[in-house]
Amino acid sequence: MIPLRQVIQNDALEPCQVRFLGKRYEVEKQLGRTSGRWTMLATDLQQNRPVVLKLLFIDDHLEANDLRLFKREVETLKLLNHPATSQYLDYFELDMPGDGGKALALVEGYIQGTSLDAYIQRGRVFNESEAKYILVKSLEILIYLHSQTPPIVHRDIRPSNLLLVPVSGSKEPKVHIVDFGSVKSLNNPSTTFTVLGSNSYMSPEQMGGRALAISDLYSLGATLIHGITGKSPDTLRGSGTKIKFESAIALSEDFAQWLKQLVAPSIEKRWSSAQAALDGLPQS
């Protein structure tokens, strides 16, 4: 179905000056870097396997909210037991080499796949059949997350956080949802939150500081609209809140209506749950 035999090569990643962390992890490449945070690809020398290291530096510039989110990601990953989400491996405090100070380290399993964003950047667009397959697999993951007690809301579903992993002997890839750095457990659905996530894919209620389980549905829909049209939801949204994708791509009428309901700006008009959306997804 989707020819996915290519992965992002190491030369597409940033070099990292730090070589070893402790006596266990050998750093291979830097995957990302923001203020006070590093994400790196490393080798676990004890287990002889690739891992992802997320570091949060502990210094005078550390924001309380950054520390809270980092620890929440750690606790969430400890609870998850799903083959298509990030895998928790370890969490510890370490002294950085030289005068690098201290940092908190989260170790996750490395998933060797290609993000939807990488395909979009290469000019790849997905047809209706491919989009439905990705939607089905993503909704199955969201059903798992939202069925936890309390429900776990990802809050940052976007093309870079959907990974497509080739499966030997199959034309269809495995779909993963990764990066739980913005995750939230819904102890109280009416609670307002700090606005997190990518604005291009964020639901109106989340932009207003209120995230619900169905906010993830909107973000998933906006992500796949980008994947099938090749156009950012911002360019299709214009000055309003509605993503007007119909003129950008020819879709079957029933799927177009289903997708419109997935990204309905009003929560009352959106699919009520990931399970309801999956049940309502047209198969033909």
Side-chain angles (χ1 to χ4, degrees), residues 126-136 139 220-221 223-225 227-229 245-246 249-263 271 277-278 280-284:
F126 295 81
N127 62 37
E128 182 170 325
S129 176
E130 293 169 337
K132 285 182 178 179
Y133 174 82
I134 297 170
L135 283 163
V136 166
L139 286 169
L220 177 62
T223 293
L224 265 297
I225 286 173
I228 61 181
T229 65
F245 62 88
E246 296 92 326
I249 186 71
L251 300 173
S252 63
E253 184 177 351
D254 55 355
F255 180 56
Q257 289 300 318
W258 181 91
L259 197 53
K260 285 173 65 176
Q261 188 170 344
L262 197 66
V263 294
W271 289 102
L278 182 60
L281 180 62
Q283 297 302 311
S284 59

Side-chain angles (χ1 to χ4, degrees), residues 12-213:
L13 307 177
E14 300 178 23
C16 185
Q17 295 180 353
V18 177
R19 184 66 188 277
F20 291 95
L21 291 175
K23 298 180 180 179
R24 179 166 181 172
Y25 300 104
E26 181 178 6
V27 177
E28 305 291 344
K29 294 288 182 179
Q30 185 168 288
L31 302 175
R33 181 174 183 173
T34 58
S35 178
R37 292 190 63 156
W38 288 2
T39 303
M40 298 173 289
L41 175 64
T43 299
D44 181 341
L45 299 175
Q46 291 185 12
Q47 299 292 329
N48 191 29
R49 62 180 175 183
V51 297
V52 172
L53 285 173
K54 290 186 175 182
L55 300 184
L56 178 69
F57 289 89
I58 305 172
D59 55 31
D60 295 338
H61 303 290
L62 178 61
E63 297 286 343
N65 191 56
D66 290 337
L67 178 60
R68 182 167 57 251
L69 286 171
F70 192 83
K71 289 187 174 180
R72 184 186 295 160
E73 180 178 9
V74 171
E75 295 306 313
T76 298
L77 292 187
K78 286 181 179 179
L79 295 173
L80 296 183
N81 183 24
H82 194 285
T85 63
S86 303
Q87 179 189 14
Y88 170 87
L89 296 177
D90 200 3
Y91 173 62
F92 54 90
E93 182 178 317
L94 77 159
D95 294 313
M96 294 298 291
D99 296 325
K102 293 184 178 295
L104 297 176
L106 169 61
V107 187
E108 301 178 13
Y110 175 63
I111 302 169
Q112 188 173 2
T114 304
S115 70
L116 201 66
D117 182 63
Y119 280 109
I120 292 171
Q121 295 303 318
R122 298 172 190 171
R124 172 75 151 86
V125 292
F126 295 81
N127 62 37
E128 182 170 325
S129 176
E130 293 169 337
K132 285 182 178 179
Y133 174 82
I134 297 170
L135 283 163
V136 166
K137 297 305 178 183
S138 299
L139 286 169
E140 289 174 349
I141 301 170
L142 290 182
I143 289 169
Y144 169 78
L145 295 176
H146 297 168
S147 66
Q148 301 305 299
T149 305
I152 294 173
V153 181
H154 188 279
R155 293 203 292 177
D156 196 19
I157 294 177
R158 50 192 166 104
S160 59
N161 288 337
L162 283 187
L163 294 187
L164 306 182
V165 181
V167 177
S168 178
S170 174
K171 295 181 180 180
E172 297 176 336
K174 188 174 182 180
V175 179
H176 289 253
I177 293 179
V178 297
D179 195 349
F180 286 74
S182 299
V183 72
K184 178 68 178 179
S185 294
L186 289 188
N187 291 291
N188 184 352
S190 64
T191 302
T192 57
F193 311 125
T194 302
V195 177
L196 297 167
S198 175
N199 287 346
S200 295
Y201 311 96
M202 193 185 300
S203 67
E205 72 274 6
Q206 190 172 338
M207 292 185 69
R210 182 172 180 242
L212 306 170

Side-chain angles (χ1 to χ4, degrees), residues 213-238:
I214 60 173
S215 302
D216 282 345
L217 302 186
Y218 181 99
S219 297
L220 177 62
T223 293
L224 265 297
I225 286 173
H226 197 170
I228 61 181
T229 65
K231 299 179 183 295
S232 166
D234 284 339
T235 64
L236 299 172
R237 192 179 287 116

